[in-house]
Amino acid sequence: MMNSRPTPLIAIHGGAGTIRAGAADAGQEHEYHAALRDILTPPQRLLADGGSALDAVCLAVELLEDCPLFNAGHGAVFTHDETHELDASVMDGATLRAGAVGCVSRVRRPVRAARAVMEHTEHVLLVGAGAEALAERLGLEMVSRDYFSTDARREQLRRALAADQALLDHDAASLVFRSPTAPLDEDRKLGTVGAVALDARGNLAAATSTGGMTNKQPGRIGDSPVIGAGTYADNRTAAVSCTGTGEMFMRVAAAHDICARMAYGGLSLEQAARQVVMEVLPAIGGRGGLIAVDAQGNLSMPFNTEGMYRGFARAGEAPRTAIFG
Amino acid sequence: MMNSRPTPLIAIHGGAGTIRAGAADAGQEHEYHAALRDILTPPQRLLADGGSALDAVCLAVELLEDCPLFNAGHGAVFTHDETHELDASVMDGATLRAGAVGCVSRVRRPVRAARAVMEHTEHVLLVGAGAEALAERLGLEMVSRDYFSTDARREQLRRALAADQALLDHDAASLVFRSPTAPLDEDRKLGTVGAVALDARGNLAAATSTGGMTNKQPGRIGDSPVIGAGTYADNRTAAVSCTGTGEMFMRVAAAHDICARMAYGGLSLEQAARQVVMEVLPAIGGRGGLIAVDAQGNLSMPFNTEGMYRGFARAGEAPRTAIFG
């Protein structure tokens, strides 16, 4: 089995959260399934053509960033100050190289900036103006700050402010208004996008990108750009991308913890991923989920919320998508 | 043994690095030993009086920040742009609560700002102006940007710029000039300060603070404020504070990895700490060291460089300090 060429696999997520009040609308659900499927197809093809896991996760996350349905890139949520602060990271399981950016507001596709940090600097994490200066110097596409804004997200901020959210209260669950157009309650959703992949050479990679949390304190960095918390990849164990209450994922180093339970405790991917999502995170109040793939092509996508936008595609098979449990 | 009241312990480090060219000067070495001993005494007393590990590590790091000999707080190195960007973090092993700040330049004692993030927000990591706004709002002591500057550090930047360091080249080992006044070569030193402690109730805590690397790219965040990389604490395993080539510590989630090897692999503190410092980090070119303590009062202080400023003090015993192997 170890000698057989692995079947490439791409998996993506678009955030975890609770079901929208008023029951799901079949048309709205269809829109999300279609978006996830459309996003899976190009990286699936890339992998089938012999492309790398690293290229596949970056392509998948770029497409998620470009899609306004998900909280990353275009369609990112607003901070308390009505600005956007985007975070992203990427990790190559073959080399343990990693790159990340935090609090960028002018880079169109933050995951490309994260990859630029990995490939063109000695650093792992650059934040703010320093990260933007690097992106600009390397010729990445820069946009005006309002590129990321959508009317739906502005309305979300208005509701959050109206609900009198404490400045530092990021707990979306305390919001009382409902989103009009999504299967998962956008006002309660823990928004992040991410991808994990296995390529034909047996290499793993993971990438994550987010607009953070509506009404968040400027300068807040969550788990998404933190290697070990929101993203981790190591060919010897797994590639992991998380979504949820980021601070809880940081406190338990969630993504790295899955790899460590496999490496030192001998757990399977599914056992390790479920322990972290169903036991470790809930013990400190952590909510959300993750997607993870190992070098044998096993896939785990656990979440402890009512739903998580997710999908996967193995080479040669039709993509599969899901929202609820 | 598990029922006996543990003997409190505080350990500190002031950075790892290579021996200064021209051999050590006894008078210079004495100055560093004396500073480390003076810094150990107040947290040792605090712990002996029943104080918490959390308070002890914060006190120790504040004293290290105030001491101009070490690269944190007053005496921090300069960035390429001749500014200071300070990072710090703290973690409470009893609750897994953590707080950190990155790229602050006006908070006198960054570790206090890290603790404020932990105790007064829902967040774990705040960077830049957002972190400073929080510190100011909470009444922490703010200083002008030149408070952190010392002539010795300005001279170090001048040498780094003269050596034509590439903008993103943070590898201190490529510097060719020598520092005039320290046992470890200040131009090659991997500067960070940190503390770990065990208190009489068996609780663990860790804290780390740094001025980063001379001539670094603005916006660079190293391992010091990253929970799991430069700092981790969990009563079930260990409290860890790292110093070294930060990016390598981030890529292997060094501090969390020690705890994971103990928890899932059954290793002792010494075995786990040595594996990470002597095997895992060197495999990717990582240089530096760390200090770690477990709930039984075991202490490990491995480093893969020629020296690491370090010391420890158990309640009721004289503090012990060391620089070389």
Side-chain angles (χ1 to χ4, degrees):
Chain A
M1 186 185 99
M2 296 301 290
N3 293 322
S4 68
R5 194 178 166 84
T7 301
L9 168 65
I10 176 81
I12 61 175
H13 71 77
T18 55
I19 296 175
R20 184 173 69 81
D25 173 305
Q28 294 157 4
E29 280 188 41
H30 176 78
E31 185 181 10
Y32 278 79
H33 281 288
L36 290 166
R37 208 160 41 232
D38 287 349
I39 288 166
L40 281 166
T41 305
Q44 180 190 33
R45 191 178 315 127
L46 183 152
L47 288 167
D49 291 345
S52 73
L54 183 61
D55 285 340
V57 296
C58 288
L59 176 58
V61 170
E62 285 171 23
L63 294 169
L64 286 158
E65 286 175 343
D66 279 355
C67 178
L69 295 177
F70 304 109
N71 172 27
H74 179 59
V77 300
F78 284 92
T79 67
H80 182 79
D81 293 353
E82 209 163 336
T83 59
H84 299 286
E85 290 185 346
L86 309 169
D87 306 329
S89 66
V90 62
M91 186 159 186
D92 175 7
T95 60
L96 301 183
R97 288 194 311 160
V101 294
C103 296
V104 296
S105 56
R106 299 193 301 119
V107 184
R108 176 172 174 185
R109 297 185 182 91
V111 75
R112 287 199 185 179
R115 185 161 177 178
V117 171
M118 178 173 92
E119 296 186 334
H120 297 283
T121 81
E122 301 284 329
H123 299 313
V124 168
L125 174 56
L126 289 179
V127 302
E132 289 173 351
L134 175 80
E136 199 151 23
R137 201 160 59 237
L138 292 173
L140 298 195
E141 187 176 353
M142 308 300 283
V143 292
S144 67
R145 289 163 201 277
D146 60 4
Y147 163 79
F148 301 106
S149 308
T150 61
D151 290 343
R153 298 300 186 192
R154 203 179 298 275
E155 174 61 15
Q156 232 178 304
L157 175 67
R158 199 196 58 71
R159 289 195 300 272
L161 293 170
D164 195 25
Q165 287 294 291
L167 196 65
L168 296 170
D169 179 3
H170 72 276
D171 186 353
S174 64
L175 286 167
V176 294
F177 292 87
R178 301 289 177 271
S179 171
T181 61
L184 295 182
D185 185 337
E186 283 297 301
D187 287 351
R188 293 166 178 257
K189 191 162 74 74
L190 306 160
T192 307
V193 307
V196 294
L198 165 68
D199 67 27
R201 283 178 297 281
N203 289 323
L204 299 174
T208 309
S209 182
T210 187
M213 287 171 161
T214 296
N215 198 20
K216 74 176 176 184
Q217 165 99 339
R220 177 257 186 181
I221 302 247
D223 64 321
S224 300
V226 174
I227 299 304
T231 302
Y232 206 75
D234 183 340
N235 276 5
R236 294 166 292 191
T237 49
V240 183
S241 172
C242 302
T243 177
T245 48
E247 277 73 9
M248 306 305 167
F249 287 69
M250 297 168 86
R251 288 167 55 189
V252 301
H256 182 263
D257 198 32
I258 289 170
C259 296
R261 284 167 191 263
M262 295 173 70
Y264 315 134
L267 296 194
S268 70
L269 178 76
E270 181 69 15
Q271 289 170 328
R274 289 193 65 85
Q275 279 187 3
V276 169
V277 171
M278 300 306 183
E279 297 169 28
V280 175
L281 284 164
I284 59 167
R287 291 173 301 117
L290 56 86
I291 57 175
V293 60
D294 68 17
Q296 285 71 51
N298 296 302
L299 174 68
S300 182
M301 308 180 93
F303 51 95
N304 62 32
T305 49
E306 290 176 83
M308 179 169 78
Y309 298 118
R310 63 200 187 277
F312 68 94
R314 295 184 193 274
E317 296 179 13
R320 294 172 60 176
T321 61
I323 300 174
F324 305 112
Chain B
M1 184 185 98
M2 296 302 291
N3 293 321
S4 69
R5 196 176 163 86
T7 302
L9 167 65
I10 176 81
I12 62 175
H13 70 77
T18 54
I19 296 175
R20 184 173 69 81
D25 173 307
Q28 292 158 4
E29 280 189 40
H30 176 78
E31 184 182 9
Y32 278 79
H33 281 288
L36 291 166
R37 208 160 43 233
D38 288 350
I39 287 166
L40 281 166
T41 306
Q44 180 189 33
R45 191 178 315 126
L46 182 152
L47 288 168
D49 291 346
S52 73
L54 183 62
D55 286 340
V57 295
C58 288
L59 176 57
V61 170
E62 285 171 22
L63 293 168
L64 286 157
E65 286 175 341
D66 280 355
C67 178
L69 295 178
F70 303 109
N71 172 27
H74 179 58
V77 300
F78 283 92
T79 66
H80 181 79
D81 293 352
E82 209 163 337
T83 59
H84 299 286
E85 290 185 344
L86 309 169
D87 306 329
S89 66
V90 62
M91 187 160 184
D92 175 8
T95 60
L96 301 183
R97 287 194 312 159
V101 294
C103 296
V104 297
S105 55
R106 299 194 300 120
V107 184
R108 177 172 173 184
R109 297 184 181 93
V111 75
R112 286 200 186 178
R115 185 161 177 178
V117 171
M118 178 174 92
E119 295 186 334
H120 297 284
T121 81
E122 301 282 331
H123 299 314
V124 168
L125 174 56
L126 288 180
V127 301
E132 289 174 350
L134 175 80
E136 199 152 23
R137 201 160 60 237
L138 293 173
L140 298 195
E141 186 176 353
M142 308 300 283
V143 292
S144 68
R145 290 163 199 276
D146 61 4
Y147 162 80
F148 301 106
S149 306
T150 62
D151 290 344
R153 298 298 186 192
R154 203 180 296 275
E155 174 61 15
Q156 231 178 304
L157 175 67
R158 199 195 58 71
R159 288 195 301 272
L161 292 171
D164 195 25
Q165 287 294 291
L167 195 65
L168 296 171
D169 180 4
H170 73 277
D171 187 354
S174 64
L175 286 168
V176 293
F177 293 87
R178 301 290 177 268
S179 170
T181 59
L184 295 182
D185 185 336
E186 283 297 302
D187 286 351
R188 293 167 178 258
K189 192 162 74 75
L190 305 161
T192 306
V193 306
V196 294
L198 166 67
D199 67 27
R201 283 178 296 283
N203 289 324
L204 298 175
T208 308
S209 182
T210 188
M213 287 171 158
T214 297
N215 198 22
K216 75 177 177 185
Q217 164 100 338
R220 177 255 187 183
I221 301 247
D223 64 321
S224 300
V226 174
I227 299 304
T231 303
Y232 206 74
D234 183 339
N235 276 4
R236 294 166 293 191
T237 48
V240 183
S241 172
C242 301
T243 176
T245 48
E247 277 73 8
M248 306 305 167
F249 287 69
M250 298 168 86
R251 288 168 52 189
V252 300
H256 182 264
D257 197 32
I258 290 170
C259 297
R261 284 166 192 264
M262 295 173 70
Y264 314 134
L267 296 194
S268 70
L269 177 76
E270 181 69 15
Q271 289 170 328
R274 288 192 67 83
Q275 279 188 3
V276 170
V277 172
M278 300 306 183
E279 297 170 28
V280 175
L281 284 164
I284 58 167
R287 292 172 300 119
L290 56 86
I291 56 175
V293 60
D294 68 17
Q296 285 71 53
N298 296 302
L299 175 67
S300 182
M301 308 179 94
F303 51 95
N304 61 31
T305 49
E306 291 176 82
M308 179 170 77
Y309 297 118
R310 62 199 188 277
F312 68 94
R314 294 183 194 274
E317 297 179 13
R320 295 173 61 178
T321 61
I323 300 174
F324 304 114

